[in-house]
């Protein structure tokens, strides 16, 4: 009886040791992967954070990521950092289309699993007409060239972002094209206003979009509305207005990959009209330094 118990104990110890060694081997095994962007619009910079929860420090394993040629062609530098609990990949100041191979990596198998299931992805918009919605990454086993071809073949029909097989730098130039519409100068309106817009609370921002409305006086030359951006323009911006439902809506967007100087005056507008009917300013969208949406939205003063 004692002999059987001893045998079972020895078998259990050996089995536990074998399973433990297998788990260690699984965690330490590295894989060649390419990380691609999966978004419905080009990203003006991105930030990818992959947590490491496998019990073994990511920084003590073979973690190697280099920028792909496609991402380097976008003209901006990338940040790659590894800590005991997280792999951080990011870039700022350039437009990156959907499907672009971002990084060529050698990662532990455990970190590849985390990248597939737990990665946090934030994208900037750069004041483009279409902003990325719910961006993700795709982890592909293979070289950047092979993975780019697979991504291009699997891209959804009608995707509005630039295909991965087009030149990234050219795509950035196309995406940054903005449209500014102004009215003709008028002479018969008798009320003139100078409107100054600024951030009312101290909050770090990389992008903000806001709007306000003034009454459309239905005359051939009223109202007159013209706005100039006051913040130093170190990123794409967009300013335009349109008429609907009896109001002229002015919409302004400002972005800065290095961060907007806050507090600051964002814009100044000249408004000439026959009435004082004007709505309060409404913030539509704001991104923080990490490109994540700011909640609650910042307050604007005017």
């Amino acid at each position: 009886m004692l002999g059987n118990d001893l045998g079972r104990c020895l078998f259990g110890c050996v089995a536990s040791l074998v399973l433990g060694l297998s788990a260690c081997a699984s965690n330490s095994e590295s894989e060649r992967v390419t990380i691609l962007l999966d978004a419905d619009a080009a990203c003006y910079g991105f930030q990818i954070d992959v947590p490491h929860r496998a019990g073994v420090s990511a920084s003590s394993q073979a973690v190697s990521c280099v920028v792909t040629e496609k991402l380097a062609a976008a003209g901006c530098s990338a940040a790659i950092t590894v800590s005991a609990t997280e792999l951080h990949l990011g870039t700022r100041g350039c437009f990156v289309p959907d499907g672009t191979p971002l990084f060529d990596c050698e990662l532990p198998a455990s970190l590849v699993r985390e990248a597939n299931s737990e990665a946090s992805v934030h994208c900037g918009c750069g004041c483009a007409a279409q902003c990325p919605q719910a961006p993700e990454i795709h982890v592909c086993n293979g070289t950047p060239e092979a993975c780019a071809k697979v991504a291009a073949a699997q891209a959804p029909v009608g995707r509005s972002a630039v295909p991965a097989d087009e030149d990234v730098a050219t795509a950035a130039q196309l995406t940054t094209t903005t449209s500014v519409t102004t009215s003709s100068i008028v002479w018969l309106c008798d009320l003139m206003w100078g409107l100054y817009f600024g951030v009312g609370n101290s909050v770090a921002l990389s992008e903000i979009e806001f709007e306000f409305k003034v009454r459309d006086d239905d005359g051939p030359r009223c109202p007159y509305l013209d706005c100039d951006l006051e913040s130093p323009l170190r990123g794409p911006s967009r300013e335009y207005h349109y008429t609907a439902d009896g109001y002229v809506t002015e919409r302004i967007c400002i972005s800065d990959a290095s961060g907007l100087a806050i507090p600051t005056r964002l814009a100044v507008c000249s408004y000439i009209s026959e009435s004082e009917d004007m709505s309060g300013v409404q913030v539509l969208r704001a991104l923080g330094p990490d490109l994540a949406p700011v909640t609650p939205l910042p307050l604007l003063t005017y």
Side-chain angles (χ1 to χ4, degrees), residues 7 21 38 87 150 197 212 280 293 299:
L21 290 174
D38 185 2
L87 169 65
V150 173
F197 297 90
F212 64 93
L299 300 174

Side-chain angles (χ1 to χ4, degrees), residues 160-297:
S160 59
V162 180
D165 57 354
E166 291 191 18
D167 182 72
V168 176
T170 302
Q173 294 169 6
L174 294 175
T175 310
T176 53
T177 301
T178 58
S179 174
V180 178
T181 304
T182 58
S183 302
S184 301
I185 296 179
V186 300
W187 305 102
L188 298 181
C189 301
D190 54 6
L191 291 175
M192 180 173 182
W193 303 85
L195 306 174
Y196 301 89
F197 297 90
V199 179
N201 52 340
S202 180
V203 57
L205 299 173
S206 62
E207 186 167 338
I208 186 169
E209 184 176 21
F210 62 95
E211 70 176 22
F212 64 93
K213 299 180 180 181
V214 297
R215 169 66 69 180
D216 181 10
D217 294 315
D218 295 326
R221 290 166 289 186
C222 285
Y224 168 67
L225 182 61
D226 184 54
C227 296
D228 294 312
L229 304 181
E230 292 277 288
S231 180
L233 298 182
R234 295 180 295 185
S237 63
R238 197 163 182 256
E239 180 261 325
Y240 65 98
H241 54 255
Y242 60 91
T243 302
D245 301 324
Y247 283 87
V248 177
T249 299
E250 174 74 13
R251 185 170 294 183
I252 297 173
C253 178
I254 303 172
S255 69
D256 189 336
S258 301
L260 294 168
I262 301 297
T264 188
R265 197 163 71 181
L266 298 174
V268 56
C269 299
S270 298
Y271 169 43
I272 307 175
S273 178
E274 293 180 352
S275 71
E276 303 177 27
D277 191 356
M278 173 186 164
S279 74
V281 62
Q282 178 184 6
V283 178
L284 304 175
R285 178 172 52 84
L287 301 179
D290 60 352
L291 304 179
V294 173
T295 54
L297 291 170

